[in-house]
Amino acid sequence: MPATKQQTTRQKTPYKPSPSAKHSKPAGGSKQDHVIIFDTTLRDGEQSPGFTLHTEEKIKMARQLERLNVDVIEAGFAIASQGDFDAIQAVSQTIRKPVICSLARALPKDIERAGDSLKYAKKKRIHTFIATSSIHVEKKLKLPREKVIELAVDAVKQALTYTNDVEFSCEDAGRTDWDYICAIVEAAIEAGATTVNIPDTVGYTTPQQYGECIAYVKKNVPNIEQAVISVHCHDDLGMAVANSLAGVVNGARQVECTINGIGERAGNCSLEEIVMALKTRKDFFGIESKVVTEEIFNTSRLLVSLTGMPVQANKAIVGANAFAHEAGIHQDGVLKERSTYEIMTSESVGWHGENIILGKHSGRHAFRDTLKRLGCRDMNATDFDAAFGAFMKLCDKKKKVYEDDIMAIIESTVADTLPRMYELQYINVTSGTETVPTATVRIGKGDEVLQDAGCGDGPVDAAYKTIERMLGVETTLLDYHLEAITGGKDALGRVTVRLDVDGRQAAGQGSDTDVIVASVRAFLNALNKIVTNPTHDNAKAGREP
Ligand code: KIV
Ligand code: ZN
């Protein structure tokens, strides 16, 4: 039964925390001077269909999150798959500044796996959760409520044997009786939890109701000052950011969020929106995060390039139109005084509006400067040479090369540095009004060279069918998206595809001035991700095993 505003009295729960429960240091409580940004792009975000990332891609993303200066990176759900475990371990070995977090159900085997995955982390957190709403407790867990509290306490205690930083979440808190939330939260803190998270797992609450719930927890849990209250909201009704902000207003000091708001179903609270709301309206909220906001745009772009999932043009903060002024009256106002129609500057989120043009004579130095401005600072010499080579080739085909073209080159360089089994060597396609579309494709597979020809309903279909037959794979094309990167007839075309092979999904990207070549590159990029990541089953990744 959903909680209601009328609940004001605290009912006593039969559960009594064990007096032997180990206490850890208070984590700040309401004295916390900034809002902790807990990024879950690599865990809850990766639960979106087709968002599967390779370990190398997770490391790239984690590095950028470190530059963004998030406080906590939730890197995966260790027990869900070997791929998740490996990725958490690899991120733990690479990232030093943010806390690395591993998710676990309130079960001994999960906590053990989470603890092991964090072995190399400099700063580590175990995040354990159990469902608390009546519907989950009765229909999913089928356990008495006292037993649920007992499992939560045991999980927190076990997690404390690996780290002092333990977070406890009541899954589906948004539909849980508030007194029961208070009881389990009190017990978890008594057991040693340093962060207590109140998730709106199904995106059911409204800002006023969620804010009141957080205020209720703050007021009615006697030991609440020993922990940080965290909010974790899903966007099913489009209220995740508003709900999270309502939580902050009522005392929450950690927000769980994802880049571009990606996540299960309609997604999670968007990091860029919450951070910029706190910054732009500091007059109202009175507290901010420590995020380096100038890194927001690069982080958003990197995620798009890794997942192949574009953001809508009118998306707040990071959409292509977020800082565009189309109406004459607005343009006039902005030219006279920017603040007439702008509440924040594009520079403050790292978006540099102007699209600098490069050409054949720009040289390595100008190219390197552009890369730096676009946020690619840690490119090694091999990647740089590959990107510069691709840039020079593009200059031969295209008179003016824009920043967005360079981004596309970097995206393909990123894809090219991933482990791959298949490499496109040659493609020739014939199509037209009177011709049966036919493709001849040559693909390198290690030392082998495979070649075949086939026809299809169109040139892309002909190429894809030929590749499938040649490689002996059957794919389902879940998504195909073609866009022109910049204007002009010679524009680069970027193709994004989402493929499914036996329940394993991946997104792939390819760009070229020839859209058929771009389509084939995207197809092989996705296929390579699937075949070189056999331990990563999308059906399992990030989900309960
Ligand atoms: O939405 C949710 O409840 C979660 C928990 C695991 C925190 O993602
Ligand atoms: Zn969630």
mmCIF file of all heavy atoms in Angstrom, residues 314-332:
data_model
loop_
_atom_site.group_PDB
_atom_site.id
_atom_site.type_symbol
_atom_site.label_atom_id
_atom_site.label_comp_id
_atom_site.label_asym_id
_atom_site.label_seq_id
_atom_site.Cartn_x
_atom_site.Cartn_y
_atom_site.Cartn_z
ATOM 1 N N ASN A 314 16.238 18.151 -27.787
ATOM 2 C CA ASN A 314 15.747 19.108 -26.777
ATOM 3 C C ASN A 314 15.988 18.642 -25.340
ATOM 4 O O ASN A 314 15.391 19.159 -24.404
ATOM 5 C CB ASN A 314 14.253 19.387 -26.979
ATOM 6 C CG ASN A 314 13.403 18.152 -26.797
ATOM 7 O OD1 ASN A 314 13.865 17.044 -27.054
ATOM 8 N ND2 ASN A 314 12.177 18.316 -26.340
ATOM 9 N N LYS A 315 16.897 17.688 -25.153
ATOM 10 C CA LYS A 315 17.220 17.214 -23.789
ATOM 11 C C LYS A 315 17.877 18.357 -23.016
ATOM 12 O O LYS A 315 18.783 19.019 -23.530
ATOM 13 C CB LYS A 315 18.169 16.006 -23.915
ATOM 14 C CG LYS A 315 18.955 15.633 -22.672
ATOM 15 C CD LYS A 315 18.191 14.669 -21.800
ATOM 16 C CE LYS A 315 19.008 14.180 -20.619
ATOM 17 N NZ LYS A 315 19.383 15.210 -19.659
ATOM 18 N N ALA A 316 17.418 18.568 -21.776
ATOM 19 C CA ALA A 316 17.999 19.621 -20.935
ATOM 20 C C ALA A 316 19.500 19.411 -20.784
ATOM 21 O O ALA A 316 19.980 18.280 -20.708
ATOM 22 C CB ALA A 316 17.330 19.605 -19.569
ATOM 23 N N ILE A 317 20.231 20.476 -20.764
ATOM 24 C CA ILE A 317 21.689 20.550 -20.518
ATOM 25 C C ILE A 317 22.559 20.006 -21.653
ATOM 26 O O ILE A 317 23.493 20.668 -22.071
ATOM 27 C CB ILE A 317 22.129 19.860 -19.182
ATOM 28 C CG1 ILE A 317 21.159 20.167 -18.033
ATOM 29 C CG2 ILE A 317 23.556 20.211 -18.829
ATOM 30 C CD1 ILE A 317 21.097 21.591 -17.589
ATOM 31 N N VAL A 318 22.294 18.799 -22.156
ATOM 32 C CA VAL A 318 23.228 18.200 -23.121
ATOM 33 C C VAL A 318 22.643 17.986 -24.523
ATOM 34 O O VAL A 318 23.337 17.496 -25.411
ATOM 35 C CB VAL A 318 23.797 16.854 -22.596
ATOM 36 C CG1 VAL A 318 24.729 17.082 -21.430
ATOM 37 C CG2 VAL A 318 22.684 15.887 -22.226
ATOM 38 N N GLY A 319 21.375 18.340 -24.732
ATOM 39 C CA GLY A 319 20.773 18.177 -26.061
ATOM 40 C C GLY A 319 21.347 19.210 -27.032
ATOM 41 O O GLY A 319 21.803 20.283 -26.614
ATOM 42 N N ALA A 320 21.325 18.869 -28.334
ATOM 43 C CA ALA A 320 21.915 19.767 -29.343
ATOM 44 C C ALA A 320 21.269 21.156 -29.308
ATOM 45 O O ALA A 320 21.894 22.154 -29.638
ATOM 46 C CB ALA A 320 21.762 19.137 -30.716
ATOM 47 N N ASN A 321 20.000 21.224 -28.939
ATOM 48 C CA ASN A 321 19.314 22.527 -28.940
ATOM 49 C C ASN A 321 19.289 23.208 -27.574
ATOM 50 O O ASN A 321 18.655 24.257 -27.422
ATOM 51 C CB ASN A 321 17.850 22.347 -29.387
ATOM 52 C CG ASN A 321 17.761 21.920 -30.833
ATOM 53 O OD1 ASN A 321 18.749 21.984 -31.555
ATOM 54 N ND2 ASN A 321 16.582 21.473 -31.259
ATOM 55 N N ALA A 322 19.942 22.609 -26.582
ATOM 56 C CA ALA A 322 19.808 23.124 -25.213
ATOM 57 C C ALA A 322 20.240 24.586 -25.088
ATOM 58 O O ALA A 322 19.730 25.327 -24.243
ATOM 59 C CB ALA A 322 20.601 22.253 -24.239
ATOM 60 N N PHE A 323 21.178 25.012 -25.958
ATOM 61 C CA PHE A 323 21.642 26.407 -25.878
ATOM 62 C C PHE A 323 21.399 27.162 -27.182
ATOM 63 O O PHE A 323 22.013 28.191 -27.435
ATOM 64 C CB PHE A 323 23.124 26.445 -25.494
ATOM 65 C CG PHE A 323 23.359 25.940 -24.096
ATOM 66 C CD1 PHE A 323 23.700 24.614 -23.868
ATOM 67 C CD2 PHE A 323 23.192 26.774 -23.000
ATOM 68 C CE1 PHE A 323 23.883 24.129 -22.585
ATOM 69 C CE2 PHE A 323 23.369 26.295 -21.709
ATOM 70 C CZ PHE A 323 23.722 24.975 -21.505
ATOM 71 N N ALA A 324 20.506 26.618 -28.025
ATOM 72 C CA ALA A 324 20.246 27.273 -29.312
ATOM 73 C C ALA A 324 19.097 28.263 -29.153
ATOM 74 O O ALA A 324 18.104 27.953 -28.497
ATOM 75 C CB ALA A 324 19.890 26.214 -30.346
ATOM 76 N N HIS A 325 19.235 29.428 -29.735
ATOM 77 C CA HIS A 325 18.151 30.423 -29.681
ATOM 78 C C HIS A 325 17.671 30.641 -31.103
ATOM 79 O O HIS A 325 18.356 31.238 -31.913
ATOM 80 C CB HIS A 325 18.646 31.730 -29.070
ATOM 81 C CG HIS A 325 19.094 31.566 -27.663
ATOM 82 N ND1 HIS A 325 18.219 31.496 -26.616
ATOM 83 C CD2 HIS A 325 20.326 31.398 -27.151
ATOM 84 C CE1 HIS A 325 18.906 31.310 -25.500
ATOM 85 N NE2 HIS A 325 20.186 31.247 -25.795
ATOM 86 N N GLU A 326 16.487 30.156 -31.396
ATOM 87 C CA GLU A 326 15.990 30.188 -32.763
ATOM 88 C C GLU A 326 15.161 31.450 -33.011
ATOM 89 O O GLU A 326 15.330 32.135 -34.008
ATOM 90 C CB GLU A 326 15.135 28.924 -32.972
ATOM 91 C CG GLU A 326 14.972 28.474 -34.406
ATOM 92 C CD GLU A 326 16.292 28.145 -35.113
ATOM 93 O OE1 GLU A 326 17.182 27.510 -34.510
ATOM 94 O OE2 GLU A 326 16.433 28.561 -36.271
ATOM 95 N N ALA A 327 14.269 31.775 -32.059
ATOM 96 C CA ALA A 327 13.346 32.891 -32.277
ATOM 97 C C ALA A 327 14.107 34.210 -32.350
ATOM 98 O O ALA A 327 15.018 34.463 -31.552
ATOM 99 C CB ALA A 327 12.339 32.940 -31.150
ATOM 100 N N GLY A 328 13.714 35.046 -33.319
ATOM 101 C CA GLY A 328 14.390 36.332 -33.518
ATOM 102 C C GLY A 328 14.435 37.163 -32.261
ATOM 103 O O GLY A 328 15.473 37.729 -31.894
ATOM 104 N N ILE A 329 13.326 37.173 -31.539
ATOM 105 C CA ILE A 329 13.252 38.018 -30.336
ATOM 106 C C ILE A 329 14.248 37.531 -29.273
ATOM 107 O O ILE A 329 14.876 38.315 -28.569
ATOM 108 C CB ILE A 329 11.795 38.071 -29.811
ATOM 109 C CG1 ILE A 329 11.655 39.138 -28.739
ATOM 110 C CG2 ILE A 329 11.317 36.753 -29.308
ATOM 111 C CD1 ILE A 329 10.200 39.443 -28.397
ATOM 112 N N HIS A 330 14.432 36.208 -29.209
ATOM 113 C CA HIS A 330 15.401 35.644 -28.253
ATOM 114 C C HIS A 330 16.819 35.972 -28.689
ATOM 115 O O HIS A 330 17.652 36.375 -27.891
ATOM 116 C CB HIS A 330 15.240 34.124 -28.161
ATOM 117 C CG HIS A 330 14.003 33.713 -27.417
ATOM 118 N ND1 HIS A 330 13.885 32.486 -26.829
ATOM 119 C CD2 HIS A 330 12.848 34.357 -27.179
ATOM 120 C CE1 HIS A 330 12.692 32.398 -26.255
ATOM 121 N NE2 HIS A 330 12.045 33.519 -26.470
ATOM 122 N N GLN A 331 17.080 35.804 -30.008
ATOM 123 C CA GLN A 331 18.436 36.077 -30.512
ATOM 124 C C GLN A 331 18.811 37.522 -30.239
ATOM 125 O O GLN A 331 19.908 37.824 -29.767
ATOM 126 C CB GLN A 331 18.514 35.800 -32.013
ATOM 127 C CG GLN A 331 18.506 34.315 -32.314
ATOM 128 C CD GLN A 331 18.453 34.026 -33.804
ATOM 129 O OE1 GLN A 331 18.250 34.928 -34.621
ATOM 130 N NE2 GLN A 331 18.610 32.764 -34.154
ATOM 131 N N ASP A 332 17.861 38.395 -30.484
ATOM 132 C CA ASP A 332 18.105 39.824 -30.262
ATOM 133 C C ASP A 332 18.447 40.081 -28.790
ATOM 134 O O ASP A 332 19.417 40.752 -28.462
ATOM 135 C CB ASP A 332 16.843 40.600 -30.676
ATOM 136 C CG ASP A 332 17.019 42.077 -30.454
ATOM 137 O OD1 ASP A 332 17.991 42.628 -30.996
ATOM 138 O OD2 ASP A 332 16.216 42.670 -29.691
#
